[in-house]
Amino acid sequence: MRLRSRKFSSIFVKFATAFILVGLIPLFALSLFSVNTFTGYVERYATGNLQQMVMYMSYNLNAAFNQYNEVSKLMYTGKYEGLIESSSQNQTYNVNELEQINNIPIDSFLKTVLYSDSYISSVIFVRESDDKVYYQEKENRGIEPGLLPHAEWQRQMSRQPSKVAIFPTHNADYYPASNRKVFTIGRHLIDISGKVATEPKIVGSLFLDVDVALFDQFFKELKLGEKDELYLVDGDGNLFFSNTQLFEADEAHFTEKSDEGMMQISEPIPFLDGSLTARIHRESLFQQLLSVRMTVFAAIGLCSTVLIVMGTWFSKRLSAPILTLMRQMTKVESGNLSTRVEVRSNDELGRLSHSFNRMIDRLKEHIDEAYVAQIKQKQTELNALKSQIRPHFLYNTLEVIRMSAVDKDDHEVADLILSLSNQLKYVIDYGEEKVSIRSELDNLKDYFYIISVRYEQRFELAYEIAPDVDLNWPMLKLSLQPIVENAIQHGLKHKGRGTVGLTVERRGEDLVITVYDDGIGMDAETLVRLNRSLKDPESPGKNVGLKNVHERIKSVFGERYGLVINSREHIGTSILLTFPIVAEAAGDRTGV
């Protein structure tokens, strides 16, 4: 958790966050403002354009209805191509007696009206006196008068007999096998040749069936989508046309709907006293706008990605020198004073790097002046301690060889001289401070061979090496021989016979070597005094060899390493040597 907190509080994260926020906030604000402004403009333009189209269509539809109204008036004016002017005889006589309208046969008049407009599918005239039906139909189908709802139409027209009537869209099922949908224009033929009466005299009724295909030519101009709806209704809510095709002739009644996803536009149709209503699906209307929005958002995403990448790159460039300086400072904290920071610029970071390098140089100079002299003095003292060991050891060895040469005359003397030669080569070399475990064990074997010959094989050497121990690991030179010698002189010699044991094992990151014997041991007071002398280099003591080894280990490897002594009287003594496991490989004895 702490590492994660430090990671997010790094200067790189702060630089990157600042760059990205400074760039992204204006980008998002400007983009959203632009998109909203553009969206509002497009929505207003699309809505206004659609409203203009609906208004233009309503005007054309009203004009079309007025045109059919004028066609229905031909019964009175006779001013139509193919018709002759009406005679002075009254219209009642013409229709009832002569079966004429405007002095031409009724069927001819109906046929002329039928072909006067391409959308008029049939023309019907019903004589008032006997309900006789005259008709003309473009597909020459016979009419079934019983299915013709002229009585209902005439009843509705009787409210205002002198005005035109329009009947909503219905099926023309009074023509056999006809599935055509039509709306009907109706007008009474009133006899106006006589005196004006209180009640108008109706001679007959003219009905024009107009195919609803008439509306298609107007509605195609809107280019409606699949979800858009268009309704043409009169003042009573009767439906004349709808692109949904969901109404029947007897259920063609329109009721307004409310839908949040639809936009409704209405324009009046004066002729019908009704309106043209368009319900446009907003999503379909602004689909193109949605594409533009998606394009803008994609551009915002691309710009944001570029901004993030560039911000990260710039932040890395700015923070890299600081992070490099921090890493070099960490090395200095661990004691590495040879590190340097490369100065690549003349700005504040460059000057800081230059100052850091100067600080390291001055620190090294101070260390050289203050501590190197002390270290050299310490090394001189350690060499002197080692020099104290060598003459004593050499004297004892030569004494053994002398006694053996006097007592015996065999090849054993040659072996002793070989072991002595090996030891002299190992000891006299002053250049090495650390050697491999293998080299130290080989030297110990040579030493113990000489001891075993001197004391007539009364002492044995046993050792055990753990499988996870690498014999090339380094340890302090001449650290085992003084301890084994101490075990023989102070432990086994007084007992007369015994064994010196040695174990080599790994404990975590430490190398632990235990030297033990089954000699006479020591009492608790002596053990305490001996351990105290190891901890205090200034305290006097007779165990020079142990103190020398202990001090050398601490000087070379650190304060936490050295010797630990344990002993029980009449049982034996064990000495624990601790070394760090380091990666460097010590030179083998063969190379010495």
Side-chain angles (χ1 to χ4, degrees):
M1 187 68 182
R2 185 177 179 182
L3 180 61
R4 185 177 180 183
S5 176
R6 291 178 59 186
K7 180 179 178 181
F8 282 101
S9 63
S10 66
I11 191 169
F12 168 74
V13 174
K14 292 179 180 179
F15 275 147
T17 303
F19 271 118
I20 292 172
L21 289 180
V22 169
L24 286 182
I25 292 176
L27 175 63
F28 282 134
L30 182 60
S31 300
L32 291 177
F33 175 75
S34 301
V35 168
N36 291 335
T37 303
F38 178 73
T39 300
Y41 170 76
V42 172
E43 288 182 353
R44 289 193 300 272
Y45 175 79
T47 303
N49 186 55
L50 183 62
Q51 195 157 8
Q52 289 290 332
M53 293 293 293
V54 173
M55 183 174 65
Y56 176 73
M57 184 182 300
S58 66
Y59 174 79
N60 289 337
L61 286 172
N62 194 71
F65 285 124
N66 283 321
Q67 179 183 348
Y68 291 116
N69 181 35
E70 294 298 323
V71 171
S72 69
K73 293 180 181 179
L74 291 176
M75 293 185 301
Y76 295 102
T77 63
K79 295 178 180 179
Y80 197 88
E81 185 179 357
L83 297 180
I84 62 174
E85 294 185 1
S86 59
S87 66
S88 59
Q89 295 176 329
N90 63 55
Q91 295 167 343
T92 302
Y93 179 78
N94 286 341
V95 172
N96 293 336
E97 301 297 333
L98 302 179
E99 295 188 352
Q100 294 180 352
I101 297 177
N102 294 333
N103 290 335
I104 64 173
I106 294 177
D107 288 335
S108 297
F109 174 79
L110 297 180
K111 185 176 292 187
T112 302
V113 173
L114 176 66
Y115 289 99
S116 65
D117 186 86
S118 60
Y119 291 103
I120 297 178
S121 61
S122 67
V123 181
I124 303 171
F125 183 79
V126 181
R127 191 163 59 185
E128 182 72 17
S129 60
D130 55 1
D131 286 338
K132 184 177 180 180
V133 177
Y134 302 87
Y135 72 95
Q136 289 292 328
E137 202 263 342
K138 287 184 177 179
E139 296 182 2
N140 294 322
R141 293 188 178 96
I143 193 172
E144 294 185 9
L147 297 179
L148 182 66
H150 63 89
E152 175 64 23
W153 291 345
Q154 288 173 334
R155 185 183 63 80
Q156 295 182 25
M157 294 167 62
S158 63
R159 300 171 187 170
Q160 294 180 326
S162 59
K163 291 187 177 181
V164 69
I166 184 167
F167 302 101
T169 301
H170 57 276
N171 292 324
D173 49 9
Y174 36 83
Y175 291 104
S178 175
N179 57 357
R180 183 184 295 123
K181 289 185 179 295
V182 297
F183 67 90
T184 302
I185 303 292
R187 179 179 288 278
H188 284 312
L189 177 59
I190 299 174
D191 190 353
I192 59 173
S193 60
K195 296 180 180 180
V196 178
T198 304
E199 294 292 335
K201 184 178 181 181
I202 299 175
V203 179
S205 301
L206 179 67
F207 301 102
L208 308 178
D209 283 345
V210 182
D211 197 329
V212 293
L214 165 72
F215 303 124
D216 291 339
Q217 62 177 326
F218 302 110
F219 295 159
K220 287 179 181 178
E221 298 178 3
L222 278 179
K223 298 180 181 179
L224 299 177
E226 295 181 356
K227 298 181 180 181
D228 299 336
E229 301 174 3
L230 193 65
Y231 302 97
L232 176 62
V233 295
D234 62 11
D236 296 328
N238 296 314
L239 186 61
F240 279 79
F241 180 83
S242 173
N243 66 330
T244 59
Q245 302 296 331
L246 296 178
F247 65 92
E248 298 296 336
D250 56 347
E251 297 179 356
H253 194 79
F254 173 76
T255 55
E256 292 189 359
K257 304 176 182 179
S258 60
D259 190 347
E260 294 182 358
M262 306 293 285
M263 180 176 63
Q264 184 166 303
I265 300 175
S266 296
E267 288 293 332
I269 306 292
F271 185 85
L272 296 178
D273 194 21
S275 63
L276 176 65
T277 301
R279 302 181 73 249
I280 308 300
H281 193 257
R282 289 182 178 272
E283 184 176 350
S284 301
L285 178 62
F286 302 126
Q287 187 173 8
Q288 186 176 4
L289 179 61
L290 180 61
S291 301
V292 174
R293 281 181 176 176
M294 294 304 297
T295 303
V296 173
F297 290 147
I300 293 175
L302 179 61
C303 293
S304 301
T305 302
V306 173
L307 183 60
I308 291 172
V309 172
M310 294 300 294
T312 304
W313 182 75
F314 276 116
S315 301
K316 189 174 183 180
R317 287 291 301 273
L318 289 175
S319 61
I322 300 176
L323 296 177
T324 302
L325 185 60
M326 290 175 60
R327 285 193 292 268
Q328 300 304 324
M329 292 177 67
T330 303
K331 292 181 180 179
V332 173
E333 288 179 359
S334 63
N336 184 4
L337 299 180
S338 62
T339 183
R340 285 293 182 275
V341 178
E342 184 179 356
V343 180
R344 297 183 179 181
S345 61
N346 293 325
D347 56 8
E348 289 80 359
L349 292 176
R351 291 196 294 270
L352 182 61
S353 300
H354 180 69
S355 300
F356 176 78
N357 291 335
R358 289 185 58 190
M359 180 190 70
I360 297 300
D361 293 336
R362 295 185 64 180
L363 183 60
K364 287 184 64 177
E365 293 175 1
H366 177 72
I367 291 176
D368 290 341
E369 293 175 358
Y371 298 107
V372 169
Q374 296 181 11
I375 293 175
K376 290 181 178 179
Q377 182 180 358
K378 189 68 175 179
Q379 187 65 39
T380 303
E381 294 175 357
L382 291 176
N383 290 333
L385 291 175
K386 289 194 288 185
S387 298
Q388 294 176 14
I389 299 173
R390 290 170 184 148
H392 178 70
F393 168 73
L394 183 60
Y395 173 81
N396 291 336
T397 303
L398 292 175
E399 178 67 16
V400 171
I401 295 174
R402 186 184 68 81
M403 293 299 297
S404 180
V406 172
D407 189 58
K408 296 180 181 180
D409 186 14
D410 54 23
H411 296 287
E412 190 174 34
V413 174
D415 294 336
L416 288 172
I417 293 174
L418 177 62
S419 297
L420 177 61
S421 175
N422 291 336
Q423 284 206 303
L424 287 176
K425 289 167 62 178
Y426 189 75
V427 172
I428 291 175
D429 184 10
Y430 291 95
E432 287 184 324
E433 190 67 36
K434 291 182 285 187
V435 296
S436 65
I437 300 175
R438 181 182 287 107
S439 298
E440 186 70 7
L441 290 177
D442 290 341
N443 177 68
L444 182 61
K445 292 176 185 177
D446 288 331
Y447 167 77
F448 207 85
Y449 175 73
I450 296 172
I451 293 299
S452 63
V453 172
R454 177 183 177 185
Y455 292 101
E456 300 178 349
Q457 308 296 330
R458 286 184 294 163
F459 307 127
E460 295 182 2
L461 175 66
Y463 58 88
E464 181 179 356
I465 301 174
D468 58 346
V469 173
D470 187 353
L471 293 180
N472 291 320
W473 287 345
M475 63 178 293
L476 186 68
K477 186 177 181 180
L478 286 176
S479 57
L480 297 182
Q481 181 266 327
I483 297 176
V484 172
E485 182 180 358
N486 188 75
I488 293 172
Q489 295 294 330
H490 301 286
L492 299 180
K493 187 176 180 181
H494 297 288
K495 185 178 179 181
R497 183 177 297 277
T499 301
V500 177
L502 185 143
T503 61
V504 183
E505 58 183 336
R506 176 176 183 168
R507 295 182 184 176
E509 297 299 324
D510 294 336
L511 174 67
V512 178
I513 300 177
T514 304
V515 180
Y516 59 90
D517 63 77
D518 55 358
I520 62 174
M522 64 184 77
D523 55 27
E525 182 180 353
T526 305
L527 179 62
V528 171
R529 184 173 62 253
L530 182 59
N531 281 321
R532 185 183 299 116
S533 67
L534 292 180
K535 294 180 181 179
D536 185 7
E538 304 297 330
S539 64
K542 297 180 180 181
N543 299 89
V544 178
L546 295 181
K547 290 185 64 175
N548 286 345
V549 173
H550 182 68
E551 290 299 321
R552 289 171 58 210
I553 292 176
K554 291 173 62 178
S555 176
V556 174
F557 296 106
E559 290 294 327
R560 61 183 296 259
Y561 302 102
L563 303 184
V564 176
I565 303 175
N566 289 293
S567 181
R568 294 185 65 181
E569 192 172 7
H570 306 302
I571 294 179
T573 303
S574 66
I575 300 177
L576 195 73
L577 294 86
T578 308
F579 303 95
I581 298 176
V582 294
E584 66 175 292
D588 201 355
R589 184 176 165 179
T590 57
V592 178

